[in-house]
Amino acid sequence: MIEKIENLISQAESFNAQTADELEQFRVRMLGKKGEVTELFNQFKNVAAEQKKEFGQKLNQLKNQVQDRVNELKAKLEAHESAPTGMDLSLPPGGFALGTRHPVNKVMNEIIEIFARLGFTVSEGPEVEDDYHNFSALNFAPEHPARDMQDTFFVAGRPDTLLRTHTSSVQVRTMEGQKPPIRTISPGRVFRNEAISARAHCIFHQVEGLYVDKRVSFADLKQTLLYFAKEFFGPGAAIRMRPSYFPFTEPSAEVDITCSICSGKGCNVCKHTGWLEILGCGMVHPNVLEASGIDSQTYTGFAFGMGMERIAMLRYGINDLRHFFENDLRFLKQITD
Ligand code: DAH
């Protein structure tokens, strides 16, 4: 009898079930009303008195062993059932993919590096600005139409507080806090109340550049921007300047670079001109220097501002600005260099 029990214990230990049915059959065969374990319990009364102790212990061990094994297999089968089909649960887990920098960040870092080689530092300013630093100190007259050019987000109930519409506001803060020579670039987020489309967004990034010292000339501006264009877009890049207007620079210009898609031959992206506009610039207006406490008789300066998403679109051949803000991994994973 004891042998039989031991035999059943080892059967229970090694029993395996592929399906819930198989497991149930096993349970019934062992623990059911007419099951082997139940039968053995029924025979307990016939066991000789001196063997009762050993028999009883073994029998309980068997019962527990069967019950444990049934519970264990049941849990296993249930876990397997709730797993999606077609999945091999015995496979080792895959590795974690490394994250990469956002393309706008990459472009920003590259721009910072290029200007650092020319001695430009990085400065930052607040995204929530006041009217003074965003407009007035930059020579926007109170009723100046240029204030309408930029659809501004104002903070509710505070007509003087706004989300900066450009990083030119950081120029003002830098000049307020430092004496020339000043050579700095200011990357950051800017906000405009624009309808979102492939070419416009209400949030985007700019880099502002500012150089103030004695005898800074328009030639310095041109050479600095040409250096930047060649460093960033390659030695074949050329720039051209077109006269423009900004309240905070005089004279002002817009700068085009050779179209990086067609190398200047003419294509859809550059509307067959061979040129793409990348930034605005000019000589800092004397009123702007004076507003920040810099003597415009002694010092001159140049400034420029460019949109980072636009530069990233040219660099990576992206045709829709919205990709930068959606954080879709299928897009981000493609930009690895
Ligand atoms: N702030 C201008 C804009 O957002 C860009 C700009 C143009 C910045 C000329 C400058 C500049 O510093 O000199 O459109």
Side-chain angles (χ1 to χ4, degrees):
M1 281 267 243
I2 295 283
E3 224 171 82
K4 181 166 184 203
I5 296 177
E6 273 171 355
N7 189 10
L8 285 174
I9 290 179
S10 68
Q11 265 187 43
E13 262 168 9
S14 59
F15 174 75
N16 222 336
Q18 300 302 327
T19 64
D21 275 353
E22 260 181 68
L23 180 61
E24 180 58 9
Q25 276 167 23
F26 172 74
R27 194 191 63 78
V28 171
R29 177 161 75 79
M30 292 295 198
L31 305 174
K33 264 192 189 149
K34 291 188 177 148
E36 305 212 36
V37 181
T38 320
E39 279 298 310
L40 286 166
F41 270 102
N42 290 341
Q43 287 171 27
F44 187 70
K45 54 182 186 298
N46 307 328
V47 174
E50 65 277 13
Q51 281 184 2
K52 268 200 156 68
K53 190 171 169 209
E54 192 193 358
F55 186 88
Q57 275 174 353
K58 279 275 173 221
L59 202 51
N60 274 327
Q61 192 191 337
L62 170 64
K63 190 180 152 206
N64 291 339
Q65 178 67 48
V66 172
Q67 195 61 64
D68 286 354
R69 188 68 189 147
V70 167
N71 291 344
E72 194 185 326
L73 289 173
K74 194 169 168 216
K76 240 191 195 173
L77 287 169
E78 275 170 5
H80 197 80
E81 260 168 29
S82 62
T85 49
M87 209 182 195
D88 184 348
L89 293 171
S90 64
L91 281 179
F96 289 101
L98 276 184
T100 56
R101 285 198 188 281
H102 192 280
V104 171
N105 251 298
K106 284 196 234 234
V107 164
M108 190 190 282
N109 288 342
E110 213 175 305
I111 293 173
I112 290 172
E113 269 176 36
I114 293 171
F115 281 100
R117 295 204 280 276
L118 295 175
F120 282 75
T121 60
V122 173
S123 45
E124 290 184 324
E127 292 176 351
V128 180
E129 256 302 358
D130 50 37
D131 176 280
Y132 177 78
H133 290 91
N134 197 78
F135 291 126
S136 303
L138 287 163
N139 203 33
F140 286 77
E143 302 303 329
H144 197 291
R147 287 194 194 227
D148 295 331
M149 265 164 51
Q150 300 177 332
D151 276 342
T152 307
F153 286 116
F154 286 91
V155 173
R158 309 217 6 213
D160 186 48
T161 310
L162 46 87
L163 300 184
R164 67 180 178 196
T165 59
H166 52 184
T167 42
S168 302
S169 55
V170 189
Q171 275 188 37
V172 179
R173 291 190 176 272
T174 308
M175 286 191 283
E176 282 172 347
Q178 288 176 34
K179 292 203 177 326
I182 296 170
R183 238 180 305 178
T184 190
I185 58 169
S186 318
R189 275 198 295 195
V190 300
F191 307 85
R192 290 185 198 174
N193 195 357
E194 303 226 20
I196 296 171
S197 72
R199 301 177 63 88
H201 208 285
C202 55
I203 304 178
F204 55 101
H205 297 77
Q206 287 188 333
V207 181
E208 190 76 13
L210 176 70
Y211 179 24
V212 181
D213 201 352
K214 289 175 182 159
R215 292 186 294 278
V216 174
S217 71
F218 201 90
D220 295 324
L221 169 61
K222 198 172 170 186
Q223 202 55 39
T224 303
L225 295 177
L226 180 61
Y227 174 80
F228 164 73
K230 287 185 182 297
E231 288 293 297
F232 191 88
F233 290 103
I239 61 169
R240 74 172 183 186
M241 291 178 133
R242 287 176 288 106
S244 185
Y245 172 78
F246 301 100
F248 35 93
T249 43
E250 182 59 38
S252 304
E254 275 169 322
V255 174
D256 300 338
I257 56 148
T258 331
C259 175
S260 55
I261 311 288
C262 63
S263 310
K265 289 185 204 70
C267 67
N268 281 344
V269 176
C270 61
K271 301 200 185 93
H272 302 282
T273 63
W275 295 98
L276 291 164
E277 187 196 320
I278 56 161
L279 57 87
C281 64
M283 300 306 292
V284 182
H285 197 291
N287 290 354
V288 174
L289 294 172
E290 296 289 342
S292 301
I294 292 177
D295 179 5
S296 63
Q297 296 296 320
T298 313
Y299 293 104
T300 53
F302 68 65
F304 58 86
M306 57 186 143
M308 222 112 61
E309 280 79 5
R310 182 153 177 78
I311 306 269
M313 284 166 95
L314 297 177
R315 158 61 62 89
Y316 298 113
I318 295 159
N319 57 10
D320 192 324
L321 189 67
R322 288 168 291 198
H323 288 310
F324 292 118
F325 304 95
E326 283 163 0
N327 283 334
D328 185 334
L329 287 179
R330 289 169 303 180
F331 165 70
L332 295 172
K333 272 185 179 165
Q334 289 177 49
I335 296 167
T336 51
D337 70 326

